[in-house]
């Protein structure tokens, strides 16, 4: 893998009373954030050859809307382990996709922001925050290991 794009799901509606957190949908603002993230990626030449997404509805919708600008017919792979994942769990998942040139992973905080810190700084406790709909584009400098990535771009709506 040469490039890793991490996208936090866009702004979501609150959970319904007694509802499952995984069933939260995007707010109207979140829908616009997800579309804007896709447009930003397209305008910067992003071409993910693999998309991995949390099965939570808000993450799936974020991936679907963002991919409209990149490759509307590209398959989006659901990976249950992304939901509530630690940086280590996300690394284990990404290791299974090391054959891809560029992976787009759509997930949740705190796992996403801590993975950025781990890959760039070598420590997952030094995270800076990742707003809803935020993107981090990382260039991997060799193996997928802590401290072995360069943050090429950060974008938020």
């Amino acid at each position: 893998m040469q490039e890793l794009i991490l996208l936090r799901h866009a702004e979501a509606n609150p959970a319904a009373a007694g509802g499952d957190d995984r069933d939260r949908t995007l707010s109207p603002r979140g829908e616009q954030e997800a579309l804007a993230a896709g447009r930003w990626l397209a305008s910067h030449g992003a071409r993910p050859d693999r998309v991995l997404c949390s099965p939570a509805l808000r993450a799936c919708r974020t991936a679907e809307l963002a991919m409209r600008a990149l490759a509307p017919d590209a398959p989006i792979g659901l990976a249950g382990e992304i939901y509530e994942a630690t940086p280590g769990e996300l690394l284990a998942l990404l290791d299974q996709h090391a054959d891809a040139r560029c992976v787009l992973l759509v997930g949740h905080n705190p796992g996403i922001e801590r993975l950025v810190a781990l890959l760039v700084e070598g420590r997952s406790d030094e995270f800076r925050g990742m707003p809803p709909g935020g993107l981090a584009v990382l260039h991997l400098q060799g193996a997928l290991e802590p401290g072995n990535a360069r943050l090429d771009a950060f974008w938020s709506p």
Side-chain angles (χ1 to χ4, degrees):
M1 187 182 317
Q2 298 171 354
E3 189 173 59
L4 174 61
I5 303 168
L6 299 171
L7 171 58
R8 181 179 175 201
H9 68 77
E11 182 184 272
N13 291 310
D20 188 336
D21 180 65
R22 293 173 194 212
D23 294 335
R24 291 173 52 204
T25 58
L26 291 184
S27 68
R29 177 182 172 161
E31 298 257 337
Q32 293 305 310
E33 290 172 349
L35 288 166
R39 286 191 299 268
W40 186 91
L41 285 169
S43 72
H44 286 80
R47 298 290 175 260
D49 51 335
R50 194 149 312 149
V51 181
L52 303 173
C53 184
S54 162
L57 290 180
R58 61 193 181 275
C60 291
R61 184 69 173 149
T62 298
E64 173 191 321
L65 292 171
M67 289 304 294
R68 280 187 188 173
L70 296 170
D73 297 325
I76 297 172
L78 296 182
E81 57 265 55
I82 295 173
Y83 186 79
E84 295 186 343
T86 65
E89 292 166 337
L90 292 172
L91 275 178
L93 170 64
L94 290 167
D95 274 339
Q96 297 171 28
H97 298 276
D99 62 317
R101 183 194 57 76
C102 176
V103 172
L104 169 61
L105 188 144
V106 183
H108 312 269
N109 270 354
I112 292 283
E113 65 189 8
R114 289 183 174 165
L115 181 60
V116 172
L118 180 64
L119 289 172
V120 174
E121 298 174 13
R123 299 170 37 166
S124 64
D125 61 343
E126 291 293 322
F127 57 93
R128 289 180 172 52
M130 189 86 149
L135 286 165
V137 180
L138 305 175
H139 177 80
L140 299 170
Q141 304 172 112
L144 186 65
E145 295 177 2
N148 216 15
R150 178 184 71 232
L151 180 63
D152 282 345
F154 181 85
W155 178 87
S156 65

